[in-house]
Amino acid sequence: MVKLGYAPDIITLSSFLNGFKLSDAMSFVNRIQEMGYKPNVVIYNTLIDAYCKGGHVSDALQVFDIMKRKGVAPSVVTYNSLIRGLCKLGRLSEADGLLSYMTEKNIEPNVVTFSVLIDACVKEGNVLEAKELYKEMIRRSVDPDIRIYNSLINGLCIHRRLDEARKMLDFMVSKGCFPNVVTHNTLITGFCKSKRAHDGMKLFCEMNHKGVRGNTFTYNTLIHGYCQAEKFSVAQKVMRRMSESCVPRDIITFNILLDCLCDIGKIDKALTIFRDMERVRWKLIFTYNIIIHGMYKMPWICFVV
C-alpha cells in the first residue's frame, strides 16, 4: 500500500493489527510509530484484548502502562479486557483493584464490567462479594442484564439459598428482564439437588406457561430429581412429556433412567434399554459402570449382556 504511494490512516492500520500473530502484534505497533503514526486507544485496546484472550495478562498490563505513558487515555473497553483477563486467571483481588482505579480516573464501569466481576466471584464461591458488586452497580445506575441475574441466581443456588434465588428471579421479571432457559435450568437444578423436585416442576410449568421451552438439560434434571426422590412413576411421566414435546433425549437421559431402574431392582428392564442404547453407538463407558453396579446389587450375577 505504501509502495503504491498510498498512506494508510490510523483506522486502516488498526484493522491490520487483527491479522497479526500475537507475537508480532507489538512489533507492528512499534513499526507504525517509526512511520510517524501515533497509536490510538483502539489499537492499544485491540492489543490488550488479544493478550488477555491468550492468557498473557502480564503483557497486557505492560501495554496498559505504555499507553498511559504515551498519553493515550484508557477507555472502559480497556479496563473490561484487563478485568476479564485477570478474572480468568483467578486474580480477583487485582481485578477489583482495577475497578477501583478506573473509577478514580472517572471511567464509569458499565454492565460488562460488573458482569465479568460478578460471574468471577460466583465461580470462586464468593456470593457475598457478588451481591456487593450488584448493589454497587445499582448505586451507579447501571441496569443489570440477564447475564448478571443468571450469575447471581447460580451463586445463590450453589449455596442452597434457593428461596432467595427464587425471589431474585421474580425481581428480575419486575424490572423487565425476562429469564431465559438458562435462568430456569439453574434454579430447577438447585431445587432438584436439594430434594425439592416438586418446586422444580412448579417452575418448569411456569416457564412453559411463559413460552420458555425446556431443553434436554431441563428434562434430564427433573428426571434425575424425581429418581433421587424415589418417585420413579413421576420420572417416567416427565420422560414421556419429553418425547411428546419433541425434545431430544441424550445418553445422560438414559443413564439417569438406567441408574434409577437398577436402584429399584428392575435390572431386566434396564438391560433391555441398555441393548437399545448399544445400537445407537453411543460411548457407553459410564453406562457399563451403571449396569455392572446394578448387577452386583442383585442376589444373582450374570454378565451375559
Side-chain angles (χ1 to χ4, degrees):
M1 191 179 211
V2 175
K3 288 180 180 179
L4 292 172
Y6 295 103
D9 58 21
I10 197 68
I11 297 173
T12 306
L13 290 170
S14 65
S15 67
F16 287 161
L17 188 58
N18 290 313
F20 279 86
K21 291 180 180 178
L22 194 56
S23 56
D24 299 327
M26 194 63 211
S27 298
F28 173 73
V29 173
N30 293 331
R31 174 62 181 150
I32 65 174
Q33 287 182 95
E34 292 170 4
M35 293 166 62
Y37 292 96
K38 183 180 179 181
N40 61 9
V41 68
V42 175
I43 285 182
Y44 283 115
N45 282 352
T46 303
L47 191 55
I48 286 170
D49 191 57
Y51 275 129
C52 287
K53 285 179 178 175
H56 305 286
V57 178
S58 296
D59 292 324
L61 289 168
Q62 286 181 15
V63 175
F64 179 63
D65 289 335
I66 290 170
M67 73 184 290
K68 288 187 293 180
R69 286 200 304 270
K70 297 283 186 180
V72 179
S75 66
V76 66
V77 175
T78 320
Y79 288 100
N80 285 350
S81 292
L82 289 167
I83 288 170
R84 184 182 289 108
L86 289 166
C87 286
K88 280 176 67 177
L89 296 179
R91 294 160 63 176
L92 266 65
S93 59
E94 291 175 74
D96 193 53
L98 207 52
L99 174 65
S100 299
Y101 181 79
M102 70 185 285
T103 55
E104 287 171 10
K105 296 297 180 181
N106 296 316
I107 303 294
E108 283 296 318
N110 60 16
V111 68
V112 175
T113 321
F114 285 107
S115 178
V116 171
L117 285 165
I118 287 171
D119 186 60
C121 286
V122 168
K123 286 176 178 175
E124 288 289 317
N126 195 344
V127 72
L128 291 176
E129 178 64 22
K131 289 198 74 177
E132 285 303 313
L133 285 164
Y134 171 74
K135 291 175 184 176
E136 175 68 15
M137 72 182 296
I138 298 300
R139 282 195 295 269
R140 292 182 174 275
S141 300
V142 179
D143 292 328
D145 63 7
I146 194 165
R147 292 170 299 177
I148 288 173
Y149 283 116
N150 283 352
S151 291
L152 288 168
I153 288 170
N154 183 42
L156 291 168
C157 287
I158 289 170
H159 288 267
R160 304 295 172 92
R161 294 160 64 174
L162 298 171
D163 294 328
E164 198 175 340
R166 173 69 220 220
K167 287 177 183 177
M168 179 68 76
L169 185 146
D170 294 333
F171 180 75
M172 69 185 282
V173 173
S174 73
K175 292 296 181 180
C177 185
F178 297 100
N180 58 15
V181 68
V182 175
T183 324
H184 289 95
N185 282 351
T186 301
L187 196 46
I188 288 170
T189 300
F191 281 135
C192 289
K193 283 184 175 180
S194 296
K195 302 187 185 302
R196 291 172 59 179
H198 60 287
D199 287 321
M201 179 55 78
K202 284 180 185 176
L203 188 58
F204 172 73
C205 293
E206 283 181 32
M207 68 185 277
N208 278 298
H209 182 70
K210 293 174 184 175
V212 182
R213 188 170 183 265
N215 56 20
T216 303
F217 183 87
T218 318
Y219 283 93
N220 285 352
T221 303
L222 286 167
I223 293 166
H224 189 235
Y226 278 114
C227 284
Q228 284 191 318
E230 298 182 354
K231 294 184 177 180
F232 184 61
S233 61
V234 184
Q236 284 183 309
K237 287 179 183 178
V238 176
M239 200 163 185
R240 280 198 297 271
R241 180 165 180 174
M242 184 180 189
S243 180
E244 290 164 3
S245 301
C246 299
V247 176
R249 303 173 185 182
D250 60 10
I251 189 170
I252 296 171
T253 317
F254 287 100
N255 281 348
I256 292 166
L257 183 62
L258 290 178
D259 195 36
C260 187
L261 288 168
C262 290
D263 281 343
I264 61 176
K266 294 188 176 182
I267 190 70
D268 290 336
K269 189 174 179 62
L271 286 169
T272 301
I273 295 170
F274 174 70
R275 291 188 186 100
D276 290 336
M277 291 174 71
E278 284 186 309
R279 296 189 188 100
V280 182
R281 295 185 178 179
W282 276 326
K283 293 181 179 179
L284 301 175
I285 296 172
F286 187 70
T287 314
Y288 277 109
N289 290 340
I290 292 170
I291 292 295
I292 292 168
H293 182 69
M295 293 174 74
Y296 265 118
K297 290 193 294 185
M298 300 302 293
W300 46 270
I301 297 176
C302 176
F303 290 103
V304 182
V305 178

